[in-house]
Amino acid sequence: MEQNDVFWEQNAFFRLLRRRYRVRIAICDDNPKLIKEVEPVLYKYANRHRLELAVDGYCSGEALLSSVDEYDIVFLDYQMGGLNGLETAKVIRSRNMLSKIVFLTDFPYFVYEAFKVDTFRFFPKPIYEADLFQVMDDYFAKYGNDYPLQLRCNREVVTLNTREIVLVRAKGKHCCLHLQDRKLECTQLMVAIESQLPRTHFFKVARDYIINFHYIDKYNKEYIFFKNGDKVPISRKYSNDFKDNYRRYTARKNA
């Protein structure tokens, strides 16, 4: 592999550190300038939404395919020297059915062929920040952003996935996690739990409550009702922000 093929080299320590990242993204384009432009926009999105991303850049389809890493999202230029984007995508799809492929192209006529590799989105060039943010919103709305957590519960460490959490309720210096079928007493402050939850669908609706948009059944001016039968009061302080954020969440989910 030539030195320029892999845009960022990772040493052994960084490769080990990256195992904790939630979402892995590859940008494959034979224009290094475009890679340098797209990468910081993705990290800006991550910082805004409290996400952990690992972004790698590749300057050819061959370089991307030679990597041992697997990616959740692949931004892929259609017209490249050597293997073009469509040929590269066919190999990616034969190896990994779960990767979401986003084509970067000035050639809309190849759209029909691209559907054969289960393309997630198309981007015309030049690429704008708002468009990148939209495709990331669409990805998380459709596929979620849940991941495992390790929590202290009395003298034990319990591992669960954020998708299991219906709501979090503060109880003094501790908190209680309401799951779909049980409750879990946690010996951590609610603020410590809040810092680990994805902002895409968890929201604080009162001083003592953080809720998961996924499980909302209905709400009125005073309460939010959940599919498992739980009910949570809405604080006036958070009411308007809750309605705005939940409206955006449902719009993305139904897009």
Side-chain angles (χ1 to χ4, degrees), residues 213-231:
F213 286 157
H214 290 348
Y215 294 103
I216 292 178
D217 182 34
K218 58 185 177 180
Y219 69 90
N220 56 34
K221 292 182 179 180
E222 297 180 343
Y223 292 99
I224 302 170
F225 301 87
F226 296 87
K227 296 174 184 177
N228 70 339
D230 281 329
K231 180 177 71 171

Side-chain angles (χ1 to χ4, degrees), residues 225-244:
F225 301 87
F226 296 87
K227 296 174 184 177
N228 70 339
D230 281 329
K231 180 177 71 171
V232 166
I234 305 176
S235 167
R236 289 184 180 180
K237 177 181 178 181
Y238 299 98
S239 179
N240 288 335
D241 285 342
F242 159 72
K243 292 175 183 177
D244 290 342

Side-chain angles (χ1 to χ4, degrees):
M1 184 188 308
E2 295 183 4
Q3 186 173 1
N4 289 336
D5 281 346
V6 180
F7 205 75
W8 293 280
E9 288 290 337
Q10 284 81 30
N11 59 34
F13 173 77
F14 185 64
R15 295 179 71 86
L16 178 64
L17 184 66
R18 281 169 24 160
R19 293 179 186 174
R20 70 184 181 89
Y21 282 66
R22 312 302 188 195
V23 180
R24 303 287 303 280
I25 298 177
I27 310 167
C28 185
D29 195 295
D30 57 4
N31 181 358
K33 183 180 178 181
L34 182 139
I35 298 175
K36 287 183 177 180
E37 290 173 352
V38 171
E39 184 207 18
V41 176
L42 292 173
Y43 282 121
K44 180 178 179 180
Y45 180 91
N47 290 334
R48 181 173 295 183
H49 295 278
R50 198 169 59 205
L51 304 170
E52 294 184 27
L53 304 182
V55 182
D56 294 330
Y58 299 88
C59 289
S60 71
E62 291 87 347
L64 173 59
L65 296 176
S66 69
S67 172
V68 297
D69 294 319
E70 293 188 356
Y71 295 97
D72 301 289
I73 306 173
V74 179
F75 290 92
L76 188 59
D77 183 25
Y78 171 65
Q79 189 179 40
M80 295 186 290
L83 285 179
N84 66 30
L86 186 58
E87 292 168 335
T88 303
K90 288 178 180 178
V91 179
I92 293 173
R93 186 58 69 230
S94 70
R95 296 176 180 177
N96 186 347
M97 293 300 296
L98 299 179
S99 290
K100 307 308 171 193
I101 297 172
V102 180
F103 275 110
L104 312 175
T105 180
D106 292 323
F107 301 91
Y109 60 78
F110 93 104
V111 168
Y112 175 76
E113 288 295 318
F115 280 118
K116 295 180 181 179
V117 291
D118 190 23
T119 303
F120 181 61
R121 289 290 186 277
F122 297 92
F123 262 135
K125 295 181 180 180
I127 299 171
Y128 298 102
E129 178 180 291
D131 295 329
L132 276 173
F133 279 19
Q134 185 61 59
V135 81
M136 297 299 290
D137 281 346
D138 293 345
Y139 173 83
F140 288 117
K142 187 169 184 178
Y143 300 105
N145 180 39
D146 288 297
Y147 44 78
L149 289 182
Q150 288 190 333
L151 304 173
R152 293 196 311 272
C153 300
N154 296 318
R155 296 182 180 181
E156 298 179 333
V157 175
V158 176
T159 300
L160 54 82
N161 196 288
T162 55
R163 74 167 61 92
E164 300 177 56
I165 302 172
V166 177
L167 63 93
V168 182
R169 177 170 59 91
K171 293 182 65 177
K173 294 183 178 181
H174 297 165
C175 61
C176 180
L177 274 65
H178 291 222
L179 308 182
Q180 295 183 63
D181 56 355
R182 61 193 171 100
K183 296 180 181 179
L184 189 64
E185 299 291 333
C186 185
T187 51
Q188 291 178 252
L189 291 171
M190 190 175 79
V191 66
I193 304 298
E194 181 182 10
S195 67
Q196 302 179 67
L197 299 174
R199 288 179 178 174
T200 49
H201 50 281
F202 281 90
F203 194 82
K204 190 172 186 178
V205 295
R207 180 180 178 182
D208 297 334
Y209 289 96
I210 299 169
I211 59 97
N212 186 341
F213 286 157
H214 290 348
Y215 294 103
I216 292 178
D217 182 34
K218 58 185 177 180
Y219 69 90
N220 56 34
K221 292 182 179 180
E222 297 180 343
Y223 292 99
I224 302 170
F225 301 87
F226 296 87
K227 296 174 184 177
N228 70 339
D230 281 329
K231 180 177 71 171
V232 166
I234 305 176
S235 167
R236 289 184 180 180
K237 177 181 178 181
Y238 299 98
S239 179
N240 288 335
D241 285 342
F242 159 72
K243 292 175 183 177
D244 290 342
N245 280 270
Y246 185 59
R247 190 179 300 114
R248 285 195 291 268
Y249 162 81
T250 54
R252 291 195 304 267
K253 187 175 182 181
N254 297 326

